[in-house]
Amino acid sequence: MSPGSDASAKNMLENTEEQNKVKDNIVYNDKINTFSEQRENKGVENKDIDTVIKVKSAIPRRRQDLLKWYGWGYQDSTFKISDGVAFFTGNRYLLGGKKLPHALQFIKEYFNVDITKDAIPPPQPTSFQESRLPSTIKEDLEKIAPLSTDGMDRLIRAHGQTLKDVYCLRKNSFQRIPDAVIWPQTHQQVEDIVKCASKHKFVIIPFGGGTSVSGSVTCPANEERPILVLDTTDMNAILWLDKEQLLARVQAGILGQDLERELRSRGYTVGHEPDSYEFSTLGGWVATRASGMKKNTYGNIEDLIVQTKIVTPTGVIERNCRVPRISCGPDWEHVVMGSEGCLGVVTEVTVKVRPLPPCVRYGSLVFPDWEAGFHFEREVARQRAQPSSIRLMDNEQFRLGHALKEQQSWGGVVLDGLKKFYITRIKGFDPLKLCVVTLLIEGSTEHVARKEKKLNAIAAEYGGVPGGARNGEIGYTLTFVIAYIRDLALDYDIVAESFETSVSWERTLALCKNTKERVRKECRDRNIQEYIISCRLTQTYDAGCCIYFYFAFKTDLSMDAVRMYEDIEEAARDEIIANGGSISHHHGVGKLRKKWYTQTVSEPGRRLLLATKKALDPDNIFALGNMAYDQYMNEELGLKSKL
Amino acid sequence: MSRSWEPTKTLNFDKPYSPQELKNVVANSVYIDAIIEAESNESGVSKEKLKKEIWEYLDEMAMDKKMHVVRWMGVVFLKICFMMKIGVFVNEAAVLKLKSTMGMNPVLFLPTHRSYADFCLMTYLCYHYDIDLPAVAAGMDFASMAVVGQSMRETGAFYIRRTLAGAPLYAAALRRYVRALVASYHAPVEFFLEGTRSRSNKSLPPKYGMLSMSLAPYFSRECTDVTLVPVNISYDRIMEQKLFAYEHLGVPKPKESTGGLIKSLHKLNDHYGNIYVNVGDPISLKEYLGDQDGLTKEMLKPTELQQITKEQMIKIQHVANYVITQQQKCTVVTISNLVAVVLMESLVRNEPLELTQVLVKLDWLIQVLRDLGATVFENDLKPNLERILVVHKNLMRIDRDKKLKLVSSAMMDVSPDVQNKMKGHLLKAETMVNALPIIELQLYMNPVLHYLLPPALVYLLVRRRPLYKEELLAEYLQIRRLLKYEFFYMEESEERVFSSSVQFLVKGGALCEGAGLLEATAPTALGDLLQSATLSSLHTMRICAEHMMKVGKCLESQALKHVQAVVEESQVHPYCLSLDAIGRCLRGLAEEGALIRSRGKQVTYEVVGHKMEECHRLVTSVLPNINIECGTNNSVILNQETLKSKL
């Protein structure tokens, strides 16, 4: 861990800021032209006006102007292959504009693809399902907030980011897309919209950043009522910021990157950084019980949140005191936290903020193999010596990371060579077995130095050697660009997806081994030869850890391929659960993992879930049908007919 | 003057803030920080610059209490009191009781505001009784006065701008400063609920802004309670008497300046009579509000960012109104008031009274007022009457026939310069000569009118024709509402006031009751008194209504001028010339729905036909049929010119 790297604290933020500024103007103009009147009439509630920090979002209301409509992330940021070299476009990320000389070698090793083929983005669809929203309702809604029934607006809010979603998107083959999109700006407007829905009997889907990977925002295909997407991203003001209490009251539609940018410019951070945090929203984090990379320092979403305000069809839920803890029966805010949009809309959140750490340092440790790395992680957790982030990558991931290393200067090459020489020749690590732990340490300079020393000492006990700050930093850069790889892969007939779980420490090694083996077997059974299955350990807790699997295989992109992938993932999940793993660590249940919901929470648990539905949303306005909520209507109706 | 001074504090802090530290508390507060963050984000102005602006505001408003200045000002105050031959009377028991309960929670002194002298009185009183000197809210116009502005600051005054509109940062600084003064400072806070000196010597409807800022710490429970102390300050003679009379007629008030103050000092070498400071029963905000205001969504905000909710604001308005009624309740009826009532009635009836008659009349009046619940301090009438005639020698006099007469004003030429600044109609010099002293006289009558008005209205209504109580109440309430801005009252308690007025009248023999039907008896002294007491207000109301019906719609400033012109032409009570009274009648008509008041750059009134006719009918039906003679033909007016020529 070289001490020289502590300057580059913000992995990628600084790069994006300038572009945001340029885009801001576009965003604002666009909004003002289209909806100027509404903006004037329906500002943030007057009462708060004096402490409200209005945030100019990095992403416009017309998302498709800035973001890829057919995949992940920004239009200008994408992997490309040209003249036999891979590179990453744009200048938003550390990798931006850099040639990646090792990438093709890696691809060739695993997949036999024709890299001479030009990847052409799919054509933007021109025809869409007719909007079913009756004009009377439309008029009512337009009085509350800006509304759109434009086809593209609806299509790009019909999905999350699962493989199936992206496939349907590229082929424009969703069974059902929303009938309209509405952008409220205040809590009051959300209340009005929900009241309107109760009155006119239509369905509301709350929509934040659209980064879900559980199928949770997918429209129920057989829904006959009109479906309105409630896009929360216009609710993105910081209502107040109290630097003494280290608290901020924020509207729930704020994007992670907007929230971080605003707070950092004032010397604070929330520190919640899920890999999607550029595009996902605060409300979305609450609705899925999200987890961030730096949870060891800042906590997961449930630790970060002090208060939430949720609009449900039967009223607004909010605990009427702002306290650090309360002994007062079950925590109803936790009923809504993780309810995946099926009970209501999160409108405002009081969230903890922390002063920016004076020192941020990346680091890496190299271990001879996965087991050594695992035992090191276990020991760190036992001693509760975790830095902000500590992750163990398996050999495949290490090599993927290596493949995405940019072209280096001559000096860099020599240094890298020396390092490689030391690790493989002197320490005798097998390049096809070694694993890497990446570290992100934050705090005061002394704290960081102490922590580093301690981690090095523990690593030494398990045969680990320091691998340099640069390797660590690359590991974390990869976090944000890895989602872009899938789009490239799809262009070259490779389907790729990730899934995660949490598991107790003693079962972890077996779970990783067995799950990988199960995937390999499923591939063999299906005669898939070109694939990659890899995992990493991304979070540690006292009682266990989070394991993240990546799986990709070569196939022609078709519905069959999607189904095949889903079958394999299902088999893998069966295996995970059989090995004592959970249904999900932070992605949520959605529709993809319904199958295991009841066995996870027990039958009374499922009934409790349905009871919350009955209490908060008896008419099933929020008809997303995630987890077991789709059983609500059947059981309620069945019950009624019996009576 | 050099004794060590350990005054009683409102709150006992382990480490009390100095006035300078208090400014730091405000400038570095979470609230100001949040405001600056939002404002900087909105306007793009740097946070440092905004912070600097906040500091400028704080330096402009903050008090800077300094002990040595306080001691010196104490000496100056005494000196002036001697010069003005003033006696200050205080209900000491109430002050000592209040003092003994201090130390637990903030205390707000809420005195009436009739004169600039009010500013010093409470401060001096606290100085005298070893209570920490209050932080007194003063208008910005004082701050710019040389030496005086600074001296007042150093005895605890803080300065506030008249309007907060359009200056959000200033408003924030003030809000936070007041909050800090109340919750984090150890001295009482004093301000005038009425917001300005009442030019008419009557209670004005309260302003709510300052009170809501002061009570904010209670709603966020930064303090356990707030003690509100209504205080009434009654004067035998108001220094500004002449100025006020001019203002009523439309001659503008001169700008406050130190030069002006020094010039006016020689006038102080005169008799000013007594000042009665009556400290009312302290009101515990907590007890007044009860326990129902606990939980609001505002509690979810950081304490400092917690704001007053709509419901709380309504409660605050109630409290403010209640305090005004409590101030009225502690009115001390002075001999000036009593003589003014008697003289005015004699003037209205054009019947000069002999000194002995005056004394009899005064004695009777005291009984009437006491029956109505007033505090009358006089016991030895004759010497007091003689004393007050010295104090008011320029206004009233005993002539050679031993009759009490009003002295007309000297003929004065209004300079063209002043003419340009006149707010109202250009009145003739002859009009002014008699109008001025009558208005001055009315100023001393006004403080007791809140006792006389309810029975007077009831009497006037019944005098027309016998009425059942319910019918009477409806009409009574309507006319009361019309006069709402002239005579402040609380709607909640008005039915009770009505019932006791009826009882009072029946007991006093002005009305008789049979089978629920109320009927006026043959004219009585009480009836006459009540009629003459309400004469000017009802006439003003009538003329306003008639004028507005004629023009339909006009600017407020135009209406004031024209009504004044009409009054000058017709033979009515000269107090009807008062711009203050006319303005308040117009507002009353608007409140009742007979006019539509709209605020653009200027206030405009527009008539609502049927409603206006209804109001006009009501007012004219109760008007007593008294023609007032106020020219040279009035035998109660002593003409100054003739006086001189005779000498």
Side-chain angles (χ1 to χ4, degrees):
Chain A
M1 283 174 263
S2 72
S5 67
D6 57 2
S8 61
K10 304 154 206 157
N11 203 3
M12 42 152 297
L13 262 164
E14 282 173 335
N15 298 323
T16 59
E17 222 152 301
E18 214 167 304
Q19 283 187 324
N20 292 343
K21 271 177 203 155
V22 179
K23 281 287 172 191
D24 281 345
N25 297 331
I26 303 168
V27 177
Y28 242 62
N29 289 340
D30 160 56
K31 285 183 181 177
I32 284 168
N33 288 341
T34 333
F35 302 108
S36 61
E37 278 187 335
Q38 284 96 327
R39 286 188 77 87
E40 270 171 34
N41 296 340
K42 317 226 163 146
V44 181
E45 272 104 322
N46 232 359
K47 247 178 18 171
D48 291 320
I49 212 95
D50 40 4
T51 58
V52 172
I53 300 171
K54 288 180 190 138
V55 176
K56 291 175 187 168
S57 178
I59 295 174
R61 185 183 279 161
R62 275 180 57 88
R63 298 159 62 91
Q64 56 270 43
D65 289 347
L66 184 67
L67 305 183
K68 286 191 199 85
W69 69 268
Y70 58 88
W72 180 268
Y74 296 102
Q75 281 173 7
D76 60 13
S77 301
T78 183
F79 281 104
K80 277 206 167 124
I81 299 173
S82 120
D83 298 336
V85 186
F87 64 102
F88 192 71
T89 62
N91 56 359
R92 292 175 187 275
Y93 302 92
L94 278 184
L95 279 185
K98 306 267 168 58
K99 285 186 176 168
L100 310 168
H102 313 288
L104 293 185
Q105 178 61 35
F106 178 84
I107 296 171
K108 270 188 196 142
E109 203 176 307
Y110 285 92
F111 307 101
N112 181 24
V113 294
D114 178 13
I115 55 156
T116 55
K117 188 176 103 178
D118 261 343
I120 308 157
Q124 194 164 322
T126 49
S127 67
F128 307 92
Q129 289 168 26
E130 203 60 29
S131 169
R132 300 190 204 173
L133 191 71
S135 58
T136 49
I137 301 181
K138 193 176 165 195
E139 279 164 24
D140 274 9
L141 287 170
E142 274 169 343
K143 278 179 215 147
I144 302 172
L147 182 102
S148 167
T149 50
D150 172 69
M152 256 333 251
D153 282 342
R154 294 187 287 126
L155 177 68
I156 58 171
R157 288 175 183 81
H159 65 87
Q161 292 288 341
T162 63
L163 181 66
K164 189 178 174 186
D165 284 335
V166 174
Y167 171 79
C168 291
L169 186 60
R170 285 180 168 226
K171 303 279 183 208
N172 191 15
S173 61
F174 288 109
Q175 276 182 281
R176 180 85 161 87
I177 70 168
D179 301 300
V181 182
I182 195 162
W183 288 272
Q185 286 167 6
T186 64
H187 169 84
Q188 188 55 50
Q189 288 172 1
V190 174
E191 275 196 62
D192 294 345
I193 293 165
V194 173
K195 272 183 201 137
C196 185
S198 297
K199 186 175 147 201
H200 293 297
K201 308 274 178 249
F202 60 84
V203 170
I204 294 177
I205 297 183
F207 190 92
T211 56
S212 148
V213 283
S214 61
S216 61
V217 295
T218 310
C219 298
N222 49 3
E223 180 59 58
E224 281 160 13
R225 295 171 290 179
I227 298 178
L228 176 74
V229 160
L230 189 155
D231 187 318
T232 60
T233 53
D234 264 16
M235 292 196 291
N236 68 342
I238 298 171
L239 297 177
W240 47 258
L241 169 63
D242 184 341
K243 296 170 189 167
E244 274 300 307
Q245 300 278 317
L246 294 172
L247 289 178
R249 177 80 160 183
V250 188
Q251 287 188 303
I254 196 165
L255 295 180
Q257 62 164 314
D258 289 337
L259 180 59
E260 277 302 310
R261 185 189 62 242
E262 292 298 323
L263 288 177
R264 278 169 191 241
S265 75
R266 293 171 171 84
Y268 296 85
T269 177
V270 171
H272 186 72
E273 287 181 24
D275 296 357
S276 64
Y277 97 105
E278 298 159 89
F279 309 108
S280 54
T281 62
L282 177 55
W285 301 337
V286 173
T288 53
R289 292 184 73 90
S291 169
M293 177 172 98
K294 300 192 284 196
K295 75 97 189 151
N296 294 333
T297 303
Y298 301 98
N300 285 321
I301 197 71
E302 66 271 21
D303 310 311
L304 279 166
I305 279 180
V306 178
Q307 189 110 30
T308 49
K309 191 170 182 180
I310 306 112
V311 178
T312 76
T314 53
V316 177
I317 302 194
E318 183 172 32
R319 193 195 300 124
N320 277 322
C321 52
R322 176 170 48 78
V323 290
R325 181 178 191 276
I326 186 168
S327 173
C328 174
D331 188 337
W332 302 125
E333 287 187 15
H334 278 244
V335 167
V336 181
M337 204 180 283
S339 65
E340 303 188 353
C342 296
L343 297 178
V345 188
V346 182
T347 55
E348 291 174 16
V349 178
T350 304
V351 65
K352 297 176 195 169
V353 302
R354 299 294 308 168
L356 277 179
C359 179
V360 176
R361 194 173 298 176
Y362 293 99
S364 67
L365 296 162
V366 185
F367 289 87
D369 53 39
W370 172 257
E371 278 193 34
F374 168 79
H375 289 299
F376 162 74
E377 292 255 354
R378 173 70 192 104
E379 186 56 29
V380 169
R382 194 196 312 277
Q383 297 190 25
R384 288 194 175 165
Q386 293 103 325
S388 294
S389 171
I390 174 167
R391 287 171 167 180
L392 170 64
M393 297 195 249
D394 72 0
N395 184 262
E396 282 81 5
Q397 290 224 7
F398 162 68
R399 281 191 285 156
L400 174 65
H402 186 71
L404 293 178
K405 263 191 193 169
E406 64 204 59
Q407 201 168 29
Q408 274 173 331
S409 65
W410 183 82
V413 173
V414 171
L415 208 67
D416 244 29
L418 282 176
K419 229 182 263 169
K420 197 171 163 186
F421 179 78
Y422 170 73
I423 287 170
T424 55
R425 298 286 175 232
I426 297 182
K427 295 297 288 186
F429 290 2
D430 181 350
L432 293 179
K433 274 191 178 165
L434 63 81
C435 291
V436 172
V437 166
T438 58
L439 303 168
L440 173 57
I441 317 174
E442 292 186 351
S444 65
T445 319
E446 307 84 69
H447 172 85
V448 169
R450 225 180 313 122
K451 196 123 242 186
E452 206 172 9
K453 211 173 145 197
K454 171 131 198 199
L455 287 167
N456 283 345
I458 302 174
E461 285 175 39
Y462 294 91
V465 293
R470 185 77 186 151
N471 279 324
E473 193 172 1
I474 287 169
Y476 287 103
T477 307
L478 197 61
T479 296
F480 296 105
V481 297
I482 203 157
Y484 286 92
I485 295 178
R486 208 220 353 240
D487 291 328
L488 173 81
L490 284 175
D491 289 338
Y492 291 95
D493 297 330
I494 300 165
V495 294
E497 183 68 291
S498 63
F499 49 92
E500 40 67 82
T501 189
S502 51
V503 61
S504 63
W505 282 115
E506 90 282 10
R507 294 183 188 274
T508 306
L509 280 176
L511 179 136
C512 293
K513 190 163 149 258
N514 293 344
T515 306
K516 279 183 178 178
E517 193 45 55
R518 177 69 179 266
V519 170
R520 289 191 194 106
K521 178 183 172 296
E522 298 292 328
C523 286
R524 275 200 304 277
D525 290 352
R526 289 171 174 80
N527 205 20
I528 299 168
Q529 270 125 36
E530 293 151 312
Y531 66 90
I532 184 169
I533 174 74
S534 148
C535 73
R536 65 186 188 200
L537 191 161
T538 60
Q539 292 291 9
T540 56
Y541 295 87
D542 289 347
C545 59
C546 165
I547 303 288
Y548 213 108
F549 291 96
Y550 288 88
F551 173 48
F553 65 94
K554 185 161 180 278
T555 175
D556 293 334
L557 186 56
S558 65
M559 201 56 219
D560 284 344
V562 171
R563 211 162 291 132
M564 193 186 291
Y565 168 79
E566 285 180 340
D567 288 346
I568 298 174
E569 187 187 321
E570 189 182 327
R573 181 66 63 183
D574 280 334
E575 188 65 38
I576 286 171
I577 285 172
N579 278 277
S582 71
I583 189 169
S584 171
H585 170 262
H586 56 272
H587 283 172
V589 179
K591 299 188 182 61
L592 287 185
R593 288 174 277 276
K594 270 180 190 180
K595 179 180 152 188
W596 303 277
Y597 177 75
T598 305
Q599 70 181 58
T600 300
V601 301
S602 75
E603 172 56 22
R606 185 190 71 93
R607 287 207 299 274
L608 263 177
L609 186 84
L610 299 188
T612 64
K613 186 76 177 175
K614 193 174 177 188
L616 299 178
D617 182 19
D619 296 330
N620 201 22
I621 301 292
F622 294 91
L624 278 168
N626 296 324
M627 292 178 273
Y629 283 120
D630 55 335
Q631 296 160 27
Y632 170 74
M633 280 324 247
N634 299 337
E635 299 210 351
E636 271 303 303
L637 289 178
L639 208 69
K640 271 179 198 154
S641 62
K642 264 181 220 163
L643 293 169
Chain B
M1 285 301 137
S2 57
R3 69 200 156 104
S4 81
W5 200 51
E6 280 299 328
T8 306
K9 295 174 173 17
T10 54
L11 290 162
N12 292 308
F13 295 102
D14 292 338
K15 202 181 151 289
Y17 289 120
S18 72
Q20 281 307 316
E21 286 165 341
L22 203 64
K23 285 201 260 184
N24 286 326
V25 167
V26 175
N28 300 326
S29 65
V30 168
Y31 177 68
I32 292 296
D33 181 74
I35 293 279
I36 288 180
E37 284 288 358
E39 179 68 20
S40 166
N41 189 63
E42 189 74 18
S43 63
V45 180
S46 77
K47 284 181 232 170
E48 292 71 31
K49 223 171 152 187
L50 293 175
K51 183 91 180 228
K52 222 181 117 212
E53 203 178 320
I54 290 281
W55 266 110
E56 281 163 16
Y57 292 143
L58 282 176
D59 289 335
E60 173 192 295
M61 72 178 74
M63 52 134 198
D64 186 15
K65 209 190 284 178
K66 289 186 177 144
M67 248 3 267
H68 65 276
V69 180
V70 169
R71 288 171 195 276
W72 276 111
M73 289 305 281
V75 176
V76 172
F77 183 83
L78 268 183
K79 189 85 195 148
I80 293 178
C81 284
F82 283 131
M83 189 161 82
M84 291 168 77
K85 299 160 195 77
I86 286 175
V88 180
F89 290 79
V90 176
N91 55 337
E92 192 171 84
V95 177
L96 293 177
K97 194 175 152 218
L98 173 70
K99 187 181 164 188
S100 70
T101 58
M102 274 170 49
M104 308 299 290
N105 56 258
V107 174
L108 302 184
F109 286 141
L110 303 169
T112 53
H113 197 16
R114 306 286 174 258
S115 164
Y116 282 144
D118 299 329
F119 279 110
C120 332
L121 273 169
M122 285 309 288
T123 304
Y124 184 71
L125 187 125
C126 288
Y127 180 68
H128 185 83
Y129 287 101
D130 283 349
I131 295 170
D132 208 334
L133 301 194
V136 188
M140 270 309 291
D141 20 12
F142 288 102
S144 50
M145 285 168 76
V147 187
V148 178
Q150 189 53 31
S151 310
M152 280 178 63
R153 214 185 267 286
E154 287 166 356
T155 52
F158 64 100
Y159 294 105
I160 54 178
R161 296 185 182 175
R162 291 258 162 232
T163 170
L164 307 182
L169 220 53
Y170 176 77
L174 177 64
R175 193 165 293 134
R176 189 63 189 84
Y177 184 69
V178 171
R179 199 167 180 156
L181 267 184
V182 173
S184 317
Y185 196 60
H186 47 74
V189 174
E190 174 187 342
F191 57 91
F192 302 108
L193 260 184
E194 294 158 298
T196 183
R197 284 174 303 162
S198 168
R199 309 301 203 261
S200 62
N201 217 358
K202 279 185 288 205
S203 294
L204 302 180
K207 300 257 192 302
Y208 304 118
M210 189 70 187
L211 186 67
S212 67
M213 285 183 212
S214 318
L215 298 188
Y218 172 74
F219 290 103
S220 57
R221 294 303 192 272
E222 284 162 84
C223 47
T224 51
D225 193 1
V226 178
T227 303
L228 306 166
V229 185
V231 179
N232 186 291
I233 305 175
S234 306
Y235 294 87
D236 264 345
R237 177 176 163 192
I238 294 174
M239 286 190 304
E240 296 99 324
Q241 168 186 328
K242 211 80 254 143
L243 283 177
F244 283 172
Y246 276 119
E247 258 188 76
H248 278 280
L249 293 175
V251 182
K253 89 165 179 182
K255 194 176 170 349
E256 280 80 10
S257 73
T258 307
L261 184 73
I262 291 170
K263 256 188 252 168
S264 69
L265 275 179
H266 78 273
K267 284 192 209 150
L268 298 181
N269 195 1
D270 197 350
H271 292 268
Y272 278 84
N274 294 337
I275 299 173
Y276 302 87
V277 182
N278 195 6
V279 176
D281 288 337
I283 301 161
S284 152
L285 184 67
K286 197 187 184 101
E287 277 173 34
Y288 186 85
L289 295 180
D291 253 343
Q292 347 131 3
D293 76 312
L295 199 64
T296 71
K297 289 282 175 205
E298 286 291 317
M299 295 290 290
L300 298 179
K301 291 185 184 173
T303 312
E304 279 192 37
L305 304 188
Q306 190 176 335
Q307 287 174 326
I308 305 275
T309 64
K310 252 188 228 154
E311 295 74 35
Q312 287 167 346
M313 193 61 208
I314 291 169
K315 285 177 183 167
I316 288 173
Q317 292 174 351
H318 274 272
V319 173
N321 294 344
Y322 180 67
V323 171
I324 298 282
T325 60
Q326 292 308 103
Q327 287 176 348
Q328 289 185 331
K329 209 181 135 195
C330 3
T331 304
V332 173
V333 179
T334 67
I335 185 76
S336 290
N337 304 138
L338 296 168
V339 174
V341 174
V342 171
L343 184 54
M344 186 64 87
E345 202 191 342
S346 115
L347 195 77
V348 167
R349 311 212 164 270
N350 202 354
E351 294 164 5
L353 295 175
E354 276 186 34
L355 203 53
T356 46
Q357 287 174 296
V358 171
L359 281 170
V360 172
K361 198 89 185 157
L362 283 176
D363 213 31
W364 172 78
L365 180 63
I366 288 171
Q367 199 46 53
V368 169
L369 287 171
R370 282 200 173 132
D371 286 347
L372 284 164
T375 309
V376 186
F377 195 60
E378 308 305 332
N379 29 31
D380 205 358
L381 267 179
K382 195 152 188 287
N384 261 320
L385 179 60
E386 278 158 11
R387 178 180 66 81
I388 208 66
L389 287 174
V390 175
V391 170
H392 286 301
K393 59 181 180 294
N394 294 323
L395 188 62
M396 53 183 85
R397 221 167 273 183
I398 303 289
D399 72 355
R400 271 176 291 180
D401 307 328
K402 293 270 181 205
K403 288 185 172 168
L404 181 63
K405 297 210 167 166
L406 186 76
V407 182
S408 76
S409 168
M411 225 20 152
M412 64 165 255
D413 280 325
V414 180
S415 72
D417 192 34
V418 174
Q419 276 183 13
N420 285 335
K421 285 191 207 149
M422 291 272 285
K423 272 177 160 174
H425 176 71
L426 258 187
L427 299 168
K428 294 189 211 91
E430 304 87 79
T431 315
M432 301 263 260
V433 164
N434 292 319
L436 276 171
I438 294 179
I439 288 176
E440 284 174 60
L441 191 65
Q442 178 87 34
L443 292 186
Y444 291 101
M445 189 172 153
N446 279 341
V448 296
L449 282 189
H450 67 270
Y451 292 116
L452 296 176
L453 186 78
L457 293 178
V458 172
Y459 177 71
L460 289 172
L461 285 164
V462 178
R463 206 178 55 99
R464 300 171 307 173
R465 61 189 160 88
L467 275 171
Y468 284 104
K469 254 193 193 166
E470 295 70 37
E471 217 178 332
L472 175 60
L473 176 63
E475 283 191 304
Y476 168 81
L477 288 178
Q478 189 178 13
I479 201 157
R480 194 81 169 95
R481 281 197 301 271
L482 277 172
L483 291 170
K484 178 177 170 181
Y485 289 90
E486 269 274 78
F487 300 97
F488 178 81
Y489 72 105
M490 270 177 96
E491 271 170 41
E492 301 86 316
S493 53
E494 205 46 30
E495 285 198 29
R496 211 175 55 235
V497 172
F498 169 77
S499 313
S500 55
S501 297
V502 171
Q503 266 174 25
F504 166 79
L505 287 167
V506 171
K507 206 175 141 208
L511 296 185
C512 57
E513 189 176 6
L517 191 70
L518 288 162
E519 208 170 337
T521 55
T524 57
L526 180 58
D528 290 350
L529 170 72
L530 294 177
Q531 286 189 38
S532 69
T534 44
L535 196 61
S536 65
S537 323
L538 290 172
H539 270 296
T540 314
M541 184 61 76
R542 172 184 64 84
I543 297 168
C544 285
E546 281 164 8
H547 176 71
M548 288 312 294
M549 286 199 286
K550 206 171 94 190
V551 296
K553 178 181 179 177
C554 73
L555 288 175
E556 185 185 39
S557 53
Q558 290 297 317
L560 293 177
K561 265 186 192 182
H562 292 148
V563 171
Q564 241 188 349
V566 174
V567 173
E568 192 181 20
E569 287 310 306
S570 49
Q571 287 279 320
V572 287
H573 199 297
Y575 191 69
C576 301
L577 289 168
S578 160
L579 294 174
D580 176 78
I582 299 168
R584 291 178 190 283
C585 283
L586 290 172
R587 290 207 64 172
L589 285 165
E591 182 78 12
E592 187 55 14
L595 289 175
I596 295 167
R597 180 183 160 93
S598 44
R599 298 186 74 138
K601 248 184 191 157
Q602 284 176 296
V603 176
T604 313
Y605 284 112
E606 192 180 348
V607 167
V608 180
H610 65 284
K611 190 76 196 171
M612 181 60 99
E613 278 159 32
E614 181 193 322
C615 292
H616 180 251
R617 224 177 298 128
L618 180 66
V619 172
T620 44
S621 74
V622 298
L623 261 179
N625 186 19
I626 301 174
N627 281 323
I628 178 166
E629 178 62 66
C630 46
T632 40
N633 295 334
N634 193 316
S635 55
V636 185
I637 298 179
L638 195 62
N639 197 312
Q640 205 167 55
E641 299 301 318
T642 54
L643 202 72
K644 267 182 197 156
S645 63
K646 274 181 191 162
L647 284 172

